[in-house]
Amino acid sequence: MQESDSRYDFAQNHVMFNLQKLGDSCHEAMFILSQLSFGNYLNQPAFAAAAAQLPRPSQLDTKKIKYSDGETDFVLIHRRHGILVGELKSVGKSQACGKNPQPPADVNVAKRVIKAVKQLDRSETVVRHLVSDVSPGMTVRKTLFLPYVSTEQLERVLDNDPQLEKAVCQSLGAANAAEAVQLCCCSDQLSQPASYWHVTPAVLSQLSTWWQHRMACHVDTLLTDDKYLDIVARFVGPATTVSVPCYNGVRVEVRTAGQAVAELGRRLALLVLTLQQLDLMNRNPRLVYLTGPPGTG
């Protein structure tokens, strides 16, 4: 595992935990997907016939951009406020978790932000296309998650780079740098990285303010209960399977009874010894030798 992967995973868990606490405090249900690869969308062969009738990321592919190869860091599906697409950048994480936190250099923040904006615009294009048959005018908003960059620094970076400020404002739908920063989730709205699980009432207040600016200020009247369930079923139902790489191999996501039975059979097939044999191996003396002609075992 590279250090950059470790930083990103830590930042993702940090943001996800805070969003979970926000949902608990607001008593509102929402689905939050992380690291959604568009190539995995409706990828199960059993649903191929039905998926062929629905919008797919590959339909947007061009010679210059292959949308189906991309992914998005966060997709939040809310019943009343629509869909939120977010890009996460862990710039500043190594300094933020030290004993003497130091903010990342402005030039590093600018590089990550411009990259995040390009990824964000691409993700928003794909997600809007995927739900176009459900409701063409459905609200899809965008945000940047910068858990180790303060709002003050982000605003300074935008003020010092007019081109970057223009790109961020156009992407987020803001009039100026100050308004754009309000639509981003920065370190001011999140818990401390050294104890990210400790979400204080003050943090929840700041996070709720960001939520109000970005999502809660508008209710998507086009999103009915049936449409909401349809979207959730596509993104997190059995037709879309996500494989998560880990140290001991790929972890399989089990969503249906059939998948559970198949996974159980796969694991049983991997067993070399029976439970009785394992018990024998663990008795004292720990090793037991059986000798004899073929068939003795």
Side-chain angles (χ1 to χ4, degrees):
M1 178 179 292
Q2 298 180 357
E3 183 183 356
S4 59
D5 296 330
S6 178
R7 289 199 307 267
Y8 176 81
D9 288 344
F10 183 94
Q12 187 182 62
N13 290 335
H14 187 180
V15 172
M16 183 71 78
F17 189 85
N18 280 259
L19 291 177
Q20 179 183 349
K21 290 297 182 181
L22 173 66
D24 293 341
S25 66
C26 297
H27 302 289
E28 296 184 64
M30 62 186 80
F31 278 89
I32 306 176
L33 293 82
S34 62
Q35 290 183 291
L36 173 65
S37 175
F38 297 129
N40 290 331
Y41 181 73
L42 301 180
N43 64 337
Q44 281 296 298
F47 298 87
Q53 310 300 321
L54 304 175
R56 305 293 296 275
S58 57
Q59 296 170 346
L60 297 173
D61 288 347
T62 64
K63 292 183 178 179
K64 295 183 178 180
I65 303 177
K66 197 168 184 180
Y67 291 92
S68 56
D69 287 343
E71 68 175 22
T72 183
D73 293 333
F74 286 96
V75 176
L76 188 151
I77 308 172
H78 194 280
R79 167 61 188 86
R80 295 191 301 119
H81 304 308
I83 299 176
L84 176 67
V85 178
E87 286 295 326
L88 168 70
K89 293 301 176 186
S90 59
V91 56
K93 187 264 175 184
S94 56
Q95 295 92 340
C97 291
K99 295 182 180 179
N100 299 311
Q102 296 293 328
D106 289 1
V107 64
N108 292 334
V109 175
K111 289 180 180 179
R112 299 301 190 278
V113 169
I114 191 61
K115 182 177 180 180
V117 168
K118 294 178 180 179
Q119 295 171 328
L120 193 60
D121 292 342
R122 184 180 301 184
S123 298
E124 187 256 352
T125 299
V126 176
V127 172
R128 188 178 295 276
H129 171 69
L130 296 181
V131 299
S132 59
D133 64 316
V134 179
S135 179
M138 185 172 299
T139 302
V140 179
R141 294 185 177 84
K142 295 177 282 185
T143 191
L144 296 178
F145 291 104
L146 302 169
Y148 313 117
V149 177
S150 66
T151 55
E152 180 183 359
Q153 182 179 18
L154 179 59
E155 186 170 358
R156 183 176 67 248
V157 169
L158 297 182
D159 288 337
N160 293 335
D161 191 334
Q163 291 185 347
L164 179 59
E165 178 184 358
K166 181 180 178 180
V168 173
C169 290
Q170 287 181 346
S171 179
L172 300 182
N176 49 54
E179 183 178 339
V181 170
Q182 288 183 335
L183 303 179
C184 298
C185 187
C186 300
S187 61
D188 307 64
Q189 289 84 35
L190 299 172
S191 57
Q192 293 296 319
S195 56
Y196 68 87
W197 56 87
H198 185 52
V199 183
T200 64
V203 171
L204 279 177
S205 177
Q206 293 290 333
L207 196 56
S208 298
T209 300
W210 163 78
W211 177 257
Q212 182 66 34
H213 285 303
R214 180 64 286 180
M215 291 295 287
C217 61
H218 174 78
V219 175
D220 192 342
T221 57
L222 298 177
L223 187 59
T224 64
D225 289 339
D226 291 339
K227 291 180 179 179
Y228 171 72
L229 293 176
D230 192 4
I231 294 174
V232 170
R234 293 187 189 184
F235 281 96
V236 301
T240 300
T241 300
V242 179
S243 297
V244 181
C246 63
Y247 181 78
N248 293 323
V250 177
R251 292 187 299 175
V252 180
E253 187 178 35
V254 176
R255 295 181 177 177
T256 66
Q259 292 174 344
V261 172
E263 176 63 12
L264 177 61
R266 186 189 69 84
R267 296 188 181 187
L268 289 176
L270 296 177
L271 293 178
V272 178
L273 300 177
T274 65
L275 294 178
Q276 292 80 4
Q277 290 171 329
L278 288 174
D279 180 64
L280 182 64
M281 293 294 291
N282 292 326
R283 291 180 183 176
N284 290 322
R286 293 184 61 83
L287 297 180
V288 177
Y289 297 91
L290 302 178
T291 62
T296 299

